[in-house]
Amino acid sequence: MKKLVKDYKTIAVVCNQWGDTGKGKFVDFLGDWADIVARGTGGANAGHTICIGKDKYIFHLLPSGIIHDGKGTINIIGSGVAFDPRVTLEEIDIVKGHGLSYGNLMISQDAKLVLPIHLLIDRLKESRDKIGTTGRGIGPVYTDHVSRKGLIVKDMLNKDIFERKLRANIKDKLSILKGFKKEMIKEVLDHEHLLNGVFYDEENLLDIDKIIEVYSEYAEFFKNMIDDTDEFVRQNLGNKKLLLEGAQGLLLSVDYGGYPFVTSSDSSIEGLAKGVGLNKNDVDLTLGITKAFFMTRVGEGPFPTELGGLKSAEWCRTQVKTDEEKEYSHTTVNSEDEFEQGIGIRFAGSEYGATTGRPRRTGWLDLPVLKYATRINGPNLVLTKLDVLDDCNTIRLCTKYEYMGEDYNLGKKTLKKGDIIKTAYVDTDILKNCKPIYKDFPGWKSDTTNISEYEDLPQNLKDIIDYVEKECNVNVLIASVGPKRNQTIIR
Ligand code: IMP
Ligand code: MG
């Protein structure tokens, strides 16, 4: 670990793919090093799985450093985060239940405040737009922010301001609600995440007084944790060891991903730094977590290297884990049929959504998108889940695409059928027409889960890493061969 962190004071952990690459493990891994752990983007849509001994923790909103709270680590929910008090309370209960403390939790006074109306609209719109959102209100919260209608955490502490802004906000939303049947609104509000219907009002749809009541209870609970965290982070920059915890992945960034299948905050290093009050040049080391040599995606949107293509996308949209396990118990990472091989990899990697439980779509590592991602997140990579393909006979890397669509006018340039693309255009209408071109490598066919030195990794595996490094101009700093802290190989 020492050779990794050197003299660094500020380290960020972000994802170069569509999320779920194992950021939680690395935030936890660096948690021993850090004095402060801060989140800057996303909200309860994130799901970070952390294993400690036999215990598995899934956090959505609490920074993963919370499990180090006992040693005095400060955990920050930054100004860029969509803060949902209900979820945070629930997670604090889990933390307490494990005998851990949460005494050093700080919440930005400027974090975007998630309200019942946001969850309601997210879920109503999803029934129509089919983006595959996590239903946590993320799109509507950030929409409110940029449309100058949002509420922030400190509003909750000032009852009159809260009430005025809340009434204006909801009034503005009524035209959206009018597009949906009353029974449907009632049904959504009955969800446990919306406290089982307490906010429903027969006449006005939403009981604003009830929202005020519930949020003033939240305010009472959280008030001593709320502060100007941007200022706090800035003051400690260069003095304290600061760890920035990303959420989602670069390809889901609202600024860098492909509309409309993205989340609504900027999940790149830039968004993360901004969301804690810094800019990316303040960060000494950005670790771009990258699953290899397969990838996953949850929700809708193009995924060129998906094993089984559209059949897989459709399957993952409708399946639950237990049914899949029954029906496809015979599949492995070497199944002949691509669709089945995708399921085999899902089983081997336990690739099911931490927030939604959905099967994650699986496919091969895509270098054109990795090149794109590292232009923004930088060249330093952590390759995770390498052990998942220990038994695999052949590893396929997508090295480029062939464009298969109609002419696509890009201004000075026009994409034409048959064009070769080496760095991805992360645009839904382009990506969905890209056919991957693969280079095959022989698998290493041995157990890597107990290896601790880079030199001891199988040569076949190191050869593929060398290829990726050269092809994408990146440095692999860490290889991860299992979920545990000690299954981490620092180069
Ligand atoms: P939202 O963030 O809930 O609005 O969802 C928008 C898209 O981002 C959907 O495709 C989600 O599946 C995806 N998404 C959001 N959060 C995560 C995450 O933490 N991991 C992976 N995908 C995510
Ligand atoms: Mg996740």
Side-chain angles (χ1 to χ4, degrees):
M1 171 110 113
K2 264 209 181 107
K3 62 181 172 183
L4 173 74
V5 297
K6 291 189 192 152
D7 308 324
Y8 298 145
K9 286 293 190 189
T10 304
I11 298 181
V13 174
V14 292
C15 157
N16 281 326
Q17 296 164 335
W18 282 289
D20 309 315
T21 42
K23 287 182 297 292
K25 171 178 163 172
F26 287 91
V27 173
D28 173 50
F29 182 75
L30 290 163
D32 282 335
W33 165 83
D35 302 316
I36 302 171
V37 181
R39 273 195 58 181
T41 51
N45 50 349
H48 293 172
T49 313
I50 296 164
C51 301
I52 304 169
K54 286 201 187 84
D55 288 335
K56 217 178 191 184
Y57 300 76
I58 296 180
F59 293 135
H60 302 287
L61 254 170
L62 290 182
S64 303
I66 200 81
I67 52 178
H68 299 271
D69 191 292
K71 81 165 180 62
T73 307
I74 292 169
N75 287 281
I76 294 179
I77 295 179
S79 56
V81 173
F83 172 73
D84 185 330
R86 185 198 65 81
V87 177
T88 311
L89 262 176
E90 201 174 274
E91 293 181 358
I92 285 176
D93 277 343
I94 297 172
V95 168
K96 281 201 287 198
H98 279 82
L100 300 170
S101 94
Y102 63 97
N104 293 321
L105 180 65
M106 290 175 79
I107 299 162
S108 168
Q109 55 191 214
D110 299 310
K112 289 39 182 177
L113 187 63
V114 178
L115 297 161
I117 186 81
H118 297 128
L119 273 81
L120 174 62
I121 289 180
D122 192 6
R123 284 154 197 256
L124 289 172
K125 284 196 166 171
E126 180 59 23
S127 68
R128 195 177 57 198
D129 300 345
K130 308 266 186 267
I131 290 178
T133 76
T134 59
R136 302 304 189 111
I138 301 302
V141 167
Y142 287 110
T143 303
D144 270 357
H145 173 57
V146 289
S147 68
R148 302 173 288 199
K149 294 273 162 47
L151 275 72
I152 53 177
V153 164
K154 65 174 175 276
D155 293 333
M156 183 171 77
L157 303 175
N158 298 282
K159 217 170 168 189
D160 291 347
I161 296 175
F162 182 77
E163 177 162 356
R164 168 168 53 80
K165 290 192 179 177
L166 180 71
R167 288 194 188 279
N169 182 298
I170 290 181
K171 193 171 167 202
D172 196 58
K173 297 289 181 335
L174 288 177
S175 59
I176 301 177
L177 295 183
K178 277 200 187 108
F180 296 91
K181 289 209 173 80
K182 198 172 173 180
E183 299 80 67
M184 199 170 159
I185 292 172
K186 184 168 191 297
E187 195 190 314
V188 173
L189 284 172
D190 270 338
H191 196 281
E192 58 175 323
H193 291 174
L194 283 148
L195 304 182
N196 308 306
V198 298
F199 301 120
Y200 179 70
D201 180 89
E202 191 60 35
E203 198 180 331
N204 305 306
L205 296 174
L206 274 167
D207 182 342
I208 296 182
D209 292 334
K210 188 71 193 174
I211 300 175
I212 294 169
E213 184 192 319
V214 169
Y215 275 69
S216 56
E217 283 166 23
Y218 291 148
E220 197 47 39
F221 181 84
F222 286 110
K223 69 179 183 211
N224 293 323
M225 305 175 210
I226 297 169
D227 207 341
D228 185 349
T229 60
D230 282 8
E231 180 58 20
F232 179 82
V233 168
R234 237 175 273 131
Q235 270 176 9
N236 284 292
L237 185 69
N239 309 317
K240 291 269 165 54
K241 289 176 217 129
L242 180 61
L243 178 60
L244 310 187
E245 174 175 2
Q248 286 83 45
L250 184 111
L251 304 174
L252 289 169
S253 159
V254 70
D255 292 324
Y256 295 109
Y259 276 4
F261 305 110
V262 290
T263 190
S264 296
S265 63
D266 174 15
S267 32
S268 76
I269 181 60
E270 295 164 4
L272 174 58
K274 181 167 194 300
V276 299
L278 300 177
N279 73 62
K280 79 167 180 180
N281 299 327
D282 294 322
V283 179
D284 303 321
L285 174 69
T286 297
L287 293 174
I289 315 292
T290 306
K291 204 139 61 178
F293 296 103
F294 70 105
M295 294 169 79
T296 59
R297 176 165 202 173
V298 283
E300 302 299 316
F303 180 4
T305 61
E306 183 166 16
L307 279 153
L310 294 178
K311 182 175 172 192
S312 159
E314 172 62 28
W315 176 262
C316 292
R317 189 178 297 132
T318 51
Q319 288 302 306
V320 291
K321 185 178 178 188
T322 42
D323 291 351
E324 178 173 83
E325 279 170 342
K326 251 182 256 153
E327 196 173 339
Y328 281 95
S329 56
H330 59 284
T331 62
T332 71
V333 296
N334 290 313
S335 289
E336 287 274 308
D337 177 82
E338 284 201 346
F339 170 73
E340 295 197 0
Q341 186 178 28
I343 296 177
I345 292 178
R346 183 155 56 248
F347 288 160
S350 306
E351 294 292 351
Y352 296 87
T355 301
T356 57
R358 290 179 285 183
R360 296 177 183 147
R361 302 154 63 193
T362 51
W364 297 113
L365 180 63
D366 179 327
L367 300 189
V369 296
L370 183 59
K371 283 183 209 163
Y372 173 81
T374 52
R375 286 205 300 219
I376 300 143
N377 279 343
N380 295 315
L381 301 192
V382 175
L383 298 187
T384 58
K385 291 209 150 185
L386 289 168
D387 56 298
V388 171
L389 297 183
D390 276 354
D391 293 328
C392 197
N393 297 330
T394 304
I395 307 285
R396 314 196 76 189
L397 289 186
C398 165
T399 55
K400 50 196 170 192
Y401 307 138
E402 182 179 350
Y403 179 68
M404 306 298 284
E406 303 287 313
D407 282 8
Y408 194 101
N409 190 330
L410 300 168
K412 278 193 179 172
K413 193 175 154 188
T414 295
L415 264 184
K416 292 195 177 301
K417 195 168 178 188
D419 279 355
I420 297 297
I421 297 174
K422 287 192 164 173
T423 301
Y425 296 87
V426 179
D427 171 300
T428 297
D429 286 308
I430 297 176
L431 220 47
K432 73 177 184 204
N433 288 313
C434 286
K435 187 176 96 182
I437 297 175
Y438 291 104
K439 182 171 167 61
D440 289 354
F441 293 79
W444 51 91
K445 305 284 289 176
S446 60
D447 180 6
T448 57
T449 55
N450 294 310
I451 296 176
S452 54
E453 295 298 323
Y454 192 83
E455 289 65 43
D456 298 337
L457 283 172
Q459 192 56 46
N460 282 1
L461 196 164
K462 284 188 285 189
D463 287 347
I464 311 177
I465 293 180
D466 288 348
Y467 183 88
V468 171
E469 285 191 316
K470 257 193 219 109
E471 191 67 15
C472 302
N473 238 320
V474 293
N475 318 309
V476 174
L477 303 186
I478 302 179
S480 171
V481 289
K484 300 206 190 92
R485 279 185 201 174
N486 63 3
Q487 291 174 308
T488 306
I489 303 171
I490 299 174
R491 210 166 167 188

